[in-house]
Amino acid sequence: MHAAAAALLVLALGAVAVRGVAEPRVALAFSGLIALGECVRITLPGDREQAPIGAAGALAYALLGPLRGVPTAHGTLQVVAVTGMGLLLGWLPGLALPHRPGRPHRRPPWADPARRDSAARRLLAGGFAAAVFQPLYNGGLVDRFSPEGPAYGAFLTAVAALAALCDATLAALLRASAKGLRFPAGLEDELRSLFGIGSAIVATGMLVSLAAGEVGLWALPLFCTPLLLAQISFRRAAAVRATTGQTIASLARATEVAGYTPHGHARRVADTACALGRELGLGTRELALLEYAALMHDVGQLSLVEPVPDGATALLSCAEQQRIARLGSEVISRTGVPRQVAEQVARLADPCPGPAGGEGPVPLAARIIRVANAHDDLLTAARGRGLGEAVGRLEALEVLRLGRGRVYDARVVDALARVGGQARG
């Protein structure tokens, strides 16, 4: 995908160099808007970076028809070239910022995988939108629609929707490759995000392209301002999520500091649980909630008078495990984390439904964490007996298989066998 975007950009720049730039002032204005968008990026849930203003500017230029009533003739390849130049200009300030002592050196934007992915998507999705709209506009077919009538707006909406779907598909493919997500889960995440900042980007791009037909280039700053304000709101929401993450990390560490669980147990369980969740096709939001619950799954142990040896709750009776899970859920429900996290922890020790461990009333996340927790408890016990890592993993998996469909969910145990129970140690 990166190679395709790079080849398209080279082709576009070459074509513009040969033919010249149509409406240079307009091209420079949109290129500057895209560059500005790159300078004020935001991070969305799931560690997805986005440049809403830049994306809206690229879409608006791809869908730009008449400018103050005067027809434009920039075409598809110039859209790609202007978008690419805006991306490159937006990367320059990051290179010029001085390095601060005590902080890690900044990587150049092209060395950042997230920035490369975003740039490739922007070029390909913008090129797709332009390839649909510009030939029809320059060929005179769009002239059948009055710019003031509903038909023209409906046509722009259809093209913008197709471009958004193209961008979501590209994003899902890139995330499936980089994060190990299943493509359907990644596509579901991206389509869901369209109802958030994605819908604002599409609406702003369409609005700028329509408004430019009446007021000219003043439409760029005028109609991108609401998107900038929305971007500020997303930044504040990100700060709230960061605070929630710190709360969760503190609770996860509390059991280790108090001596109830071994060092790193919560993190290992969370890593294994997330690996199982990806294997079972969970999306980004479900994985985030799963990680929160896995990190805090042992909070209920703080109610014990005496710690369980090695914190191995999987070796306790079912009734005791359920009591610890319920107490932990009550604590978590008062921390302000999403309520699903408390519900997942509350159901950790509930019996596995059905002889095959299929779908049932116990949330899948709770069944995943139960297997991940038991796996780490069994591994810890094996290490305590002096067994090697490979032998300990085989023994732990065999014990889990003996409880497959009765104590532990069959699908989750099978997924553990496939992923190898790999966790960050």
Side-chain angles (χ1 to χ4, degrees), residues 32 42 85 97 156 182 194 206 214 302 311 323 337 349 352 373 376 384 395:
I42 59 173
M85 290 304 299
L97 290 175
L156 281 184
R182 297 292 181 90
L194 288 178
M206 291 173 49
E214 298 295 329
L302 295 173
R323 186 183 75 85
V337 300
C352 185
N373 177 61
D376 193 70
E395 180 183 278

Side-chain angles (χ1 to χ4, degrees), residues 15-336:
V16 170
V18 172
R19 301 173 186 172
V21 180
E23 298 101 21
R25 187 171 60 91
V26 179
L28 182 61
F30 276 96
S31 182
L33 180 64
I34 295 169
L36 174 64
E38 281 296 306
C39 295
V40 290
R41 299 172 67 84
I42 59 173
T43 301
L44 301 177
D47 293 327
R48 289 183 301 224
E49 285 201 2
Q50 180 64 279
I53 294 177
L59 179 62
Y61 193 52
L63 301 181
L64 183 63
L67 186 70
R68 298 195 69 176
V70 179
T72 59
H74 47 275
T76 301
L77 291 179
Q78 183 165 313
V79 169
V80 176
V82 167
T83 301
M85 290 304 299
L87 291 170
L88 294 175
L89 289 173
W91 288 357
L92 293 180
L95 298 176
L97 290 175
H99 171 66
R100 295 184 181 180
R103 293 191 177 184
H105 286 274
R106 296 184 183 89
R107 292 184 296 177
W110 55 82
D112 185 348
R115 299 293 290 270
R116 291 201 306 267
D117 289 351
S118 176
R121 285 170 48 197
R122 190 85 51 79
L123 287 170
L124 293 174
F128 173 80
V132 174
F133 177 82
Q134 291 296 325
L136 296 177
Y137 171 74
N138 292 325
L141 296 178
V142 181
D143 292 341
R144 299 177 183 178
F145 308 135
S146 170
E148 294 81 15
Y152 186 70
F155 174 66
L156 281 184
T157 302
V159 177
L162 288 175
L165 181 59
C166 174
D167 182 70
T169 303
L170 294 174
L173 287 170
L174 288 168
R175 289 182 65 79
S177 174
K179 303 289 186 180
L181 285 176
R182 297 292 181 90
F183 174 73
L187 182 59
E188 181 183 351
D189 285 340
E190 296 300 330
L191 292 176
R192 187 184 295 120
S193 73
L194 288 178
F195 295 98
I197 194 69
S199 60
I201 292 172
V202 173
T204 302
M206 291 173 49
L207 186 59
V208 169
S209 68
L210 285 170
E214 298 295 329
V215 301
L217 295 178
W218 284 107
L220 274 65
L222 184 62
F223 291 98
C224 283
T225 299
L227 185 58
L228 179 60
L229 297 176
Q231 188 168 321
I232 293 172
S233 298
F234 271 89
R235 285 186 184 275
R236 292 178 177 173
V240 173
R241 288 195 302 271
T243 302
T244 301
Q246 292 171 359
T247 301
I248 292 170
S250 298
L251 283 173
R253 289 275 299 161
T255 55
E256 298 178 9
V257 172
Y260 283 88
T261 57
H263 176 72
H265 169 74
R267 184 71 263 172
R268 291 193 299 271
V269 171
D271 288 343
T272 301
C274 288
L276 294 174
R278 284 189 290 269
E279 179 66 22
L280 293 170
L282 296 186
T284 303
R285 174 171 169 75
E286 288 78 12
L287 286 173
L289 296 175
L290 173 64
E291 183 178 18
Y292 289 167
L295 285 171
M296 296 189 291
H297 74 281
D298 271 329
V299 169
Q301 288 203 48
L302 295 173
S303 65
L304 300 176
V305 177
E306 293 291 335
V308 179
D310 294 323
T313 53
L315 305 180
L316 297 175
S317 66
C318 184
E320 185 66 8
Q321 290 184 46
Q322 289 178 327
R323 186 183 75 85
I324 292 173
R326 298 292 192 276
L327 289 171
S329 174
E330 291 177 7
V331 174
I332 293 169
S333 64
R334 292 176 171 83
T335 62

Side-chain angles (χ1 to χ4, degrees), residues 400-420:
L400 294 173
R401 279 174 169 163
L402 291 175
R404 181 181 180 274
R406 295 182 299 104
V407 182
Y408 305 110
D409 186 278
R411 288 175 56 209
V412 180
V413 174
D414 293 343
L416 180 67
R418 292 195 296 273
V419 303

